Amino acid sequence: MTMDSGSRPSSEKEAPVTDKALSVAVRPDGIAVVTFDVPGATMNTLRADFVAEFTRVVGEIAHNPDVRAAVLISGKRDSFIAGADIDMLEAIETAADAEAMVRRGHHAVAGLAKLDKPLVAAVHGPALGGGFEVALACNGRVLSDSPKTVLGLPEVQLGLLPGLSGLQRLAALTSLQVALDYGLTGKNMRPRQAKSLGVADDVVPAPILLEVAVELAKKLAAGERPKRRRKSRLSPEGLTKLALEDNPLGRSLLFKKAREAFRKKTGGHYPAPEHIVDLLERYAADGLEASQEQEAQSFATLVTSDVSKNLRSIFFATTALKKDNGVDDASVEPRDVKKVAVLGAGLMGAGIAYVSIDKGYQVRMKDRDQAAVGRGIGYVAGILDERVKRRRLERPGRAERMGRLSTTVDYRGMEDADLVIEAVFEDLALKQRVLREVEEACGADVIFASNTSSIPIAKIAEASSRPENVVGMHYFSPVHKMPLLEVIRTAKTADEVVATAVRVGKKQGKTVIVVNDGVGFYTSRALGPYMNEASYLLTEGVAVETIDRALTSFGWPVGPLTLVDEVGIDVAAHVGPIMLEAFGDRLLPPPTIERLVADGRKGRKNERGFYRYGGDEKRKKGKSGKEVDVTVYSVLGLEVPNADKPPVPMEEIRERCNLQFVNEAFHCFGEGILRSPRDGDIGAIFGLGFPPFLGGPFRYVDAQGPARVLERIERYEDRFGARWTPAPALVDLARHGRKSYG
């Protein structure tokens, strides 16, 4: 019988409608269909108070002589179980409470695993975290082939480990290596991959999901063993497992290498990976039950830690932003956008074109000549080809996306564009000219968005006859990888235009913050003093690599001088005077950038900056090709410093750069550039790489104490003068004993 994944045949004995999340309906063939459907929720999540329900259902199945097997399925249209209810975690007050909660969860899930009748999970939609763990506790798993179906253990991204023994059960089904991989990264597992690994017994179209799961349950009840893919002991995978997992010395090496890898990546700032490896090592040595005691203790330690609290705050903030239309009036409706035009086919323009066609928009991309357009097409095609190569996209999908992209060297084909995004060179006169051309070539309601990183949108809009339709959409490079979009509104930008830009950004897969107009907006402006301070440290005799190492050890993904090379020394030189004109001596940089530009250094783009880059050939050999260019010191009129004996302590290097960033974030908040501390934290983390474990600059100040942070800034103001002027908003918090978040 063909049916929707959440439907039942009419001949089943229907369970009465209740307010319970779990209901049981027994089919005439003896298969109990257990439906998980949290009342009033759009997606299923696990809550502590469901333990009794799971226990009840297990008892019903076990004691009903008419039931020979069961299938667990979701009552939601496109969701299995999306994980634990995060609000439940926020309610935990003590480690003892957390341990008790995990043990109750162990008991409930153990009931599924130890049920004396086969239980099959029929999974359509996300099965993440606790949802995946529930599926792993079943005797079999059938997945829909829908792109919406995805498995994973993402707890590490919240500073946690899985608490329902999912790591151990995944290791038992596959291998310790697989469990380490998915546990330490939190990455997703797609249906075909699950089948290949032996996690899924079958992958089928959603309409027949239930019936295939029922058939599997019948076979298991009849004593048939699941025919999962099992690697031969003589295959490369089998030999690796034999060498690394099936003997104590090999396991010791496996866990040692795992620790080395994540410690190098996290710098010791994130405790969850350590607990994950410890847990799997305990499981490998002593078995499931012994490891569960450690699991409960580790979960309790992590869930009450500051790191997890900060990472969860980021989760809550991004969830709230998904529901935010970007304006104070929640009733404002965005305009409908079907076609997007992109001006500029460079890395930014082509990146914007890619994220647009990838999410279903028709895109018309323009540049000055066919050669430039061709390079843009090649860039987009290259991203799609890489996805195909990694099996993240099928070839028909690639062709479909490329079919949504058309190009031009003039404005033909843009007449019906709903939104035009310019990504031309950072020059006010040029941006004003293309704005006038767009208004002449396109419809009266066309929205013009500038991708500028520093020029005030109001200045660009001075050239417009319809300034209410002008907005900023500041993307970050590379566009297809960087998650943030900064939408900038002027005093004249219409609310519906802001809401439209926000909706387009969300559809493109971005986390979107809305800021008010001003030089540098929020992200570029906060970054300016941070990078300036690094340059001042350089003039004080601190080595390039020492400055960068100090900040990466603090938790930044790259150091500030590496970042200057990545952004482009020429770009920094162009933005610097704009910032100086707007903010005066507080953003006065040392003369380093001007001297580097005069020496022809642009950073990575011409492989000459603070670092020297070895080019493609060196990178092909697996080497970064990056090393400090010692000639940079002579260009700056400096002696070559001793990187191992800096004249400024490492702690001061870290503190000076970070406090400059934090102080400027508070300047932005006090001046009304930011709508909220939440947006400031999200913008800093997702756009600039501020260490996530600290929760963002505003949560960092709250944790340190505003008075203590202010005292440190004032100490540097006494030493260095105007560039350390404290932000009035920070002074106000410190003086009144308040915090950013209430």
Side-chain angles (χ1 to χ4, degrees), residues 528-697:
Y530 169 80
M531 295 163 80
N532 269 359
E533 199 61 29
S535 295
Y536 277 110
L537 286 160
L538 188 64
T539 64
E540 293 171 32
V542 183
V544 168
E545 64 267 46
T546 303
I547 295 169
D548 278 353
R549 187 169 65 248
L551 274 302
T552 54
S553 68
F554 184 79
W556 288 83
V558 297
L561 298 180
T562 294
L563 186 59
V564 174
D565 271 4
E566 294 290 343
V567 170
I569 293 171
D570 53 335
V571 173
H574 181 78
V575 172
I578 298 173
M579 296 284 198
L580 182 60
E581 180 184 357
F583 305 110
D585 288 349
R586 195 167 57 74
L587 266 72
L588 177 68
T592 51
I593 296 295
E594 293 176 4
R595 293 176 182 175
L596 295 174
V597 170
D599 192 49
R601 295 171 188 261
K602 295 184 178 180
R604 183 179 278 278
K605 68 179 70 174
N606 75 341
E607 302 196 340
R608 290 186 70 235
F610 290 103
Y611 292 87
R612 204 169 46 227
Y613 300 87
D616 291 339
E617 288 305 313
K618 204 164 188 179
R619 285 191 286 273
K620 284 178 183 176
K621 296 178 181 178
K623 300 178 181 179
S624 68
K626 172 187 163 187
E627 56 187 17
V628 174
D629 186 347
V630 293
T631 65
V632 78
Y633 298 113
S634 61
V635 171
L636 299 175
L638 302 170
E639 297 290 330
V640 177
N642 184 338
D644 297 323
K645 295 182 179 180
V648 178
M650 292 291 278
E651 182 54 39
E652 181 178 320
I653 296 170
R654 283 190 285 267
E655 183 174 79
R656 282 169 57 179
C657 291
N658 286 314
L659 288 183
Q660 281 285 16
F661 186 102
V662 165
N663 193 43
E664 198 62 31
F666 274 85
H667 274 292
C668 290
F669 180 57
E671 294 167 21
I673 298 296
L674 287 168
R675 296 170 70 208
S676 66
R678 174 202 70 184
D679 291 3
D681 284 340
I682 290 299
I685 291 168
F686 284 72
L688 305 173
F690 190 91
F693 70 93
L694 295 173

Side-chain angles (χ1 to χ4, degrees), residues 291-303:
S291 71
Q292 285 180 321
E293 181 64 24
Q294 182 167 324
E295 182 178 31
Q297 293 171 0
S298 289
F299 188 92
T301 298
L302 292 171
V303 79

Side-chain angles (χ1 to χ4, degrees), residues 695-728:
F698 292 91
R699 287 202 181 274
Y700 172 72
V701 168
D702 282 359
Q704 295 288 313
R708 181 181 173 215
V709 173
L710 177 62
E711 186 275 327
R712 286 149 63 191
I713 289 174
E714 289 176 334
R715 180 163 28 101
Y716 287 122
E717 184 186 20
D718 291 340
R719 285 175 59 187
F720 300 115
R723 78 175 189 265
W724 281 93
T725 302

Side-chain angles (χ1 to χ4, degrees), residues 425-437:
F425 186 70
E426 200 78 343
D427 177 80
L428 176 60
L430 174 59
K431 290 179 184 292
Q432 289 180 330
R433 175 168 65 80
V434 298
L435 169 54
R436 286 190 291 267
E437 291 171 352

Side-chain angles (χ1 to χ4, degrees), residues 72 80-81 121 123 127 130-141 151:
L72 175 64
F80 183 67
I81 305 172
V123 180
F132 188 21
E133 292 182 278
V134 167
L136 287 168
C138 296
N139 304 101
R141 285 149 296 280
L151 314 176

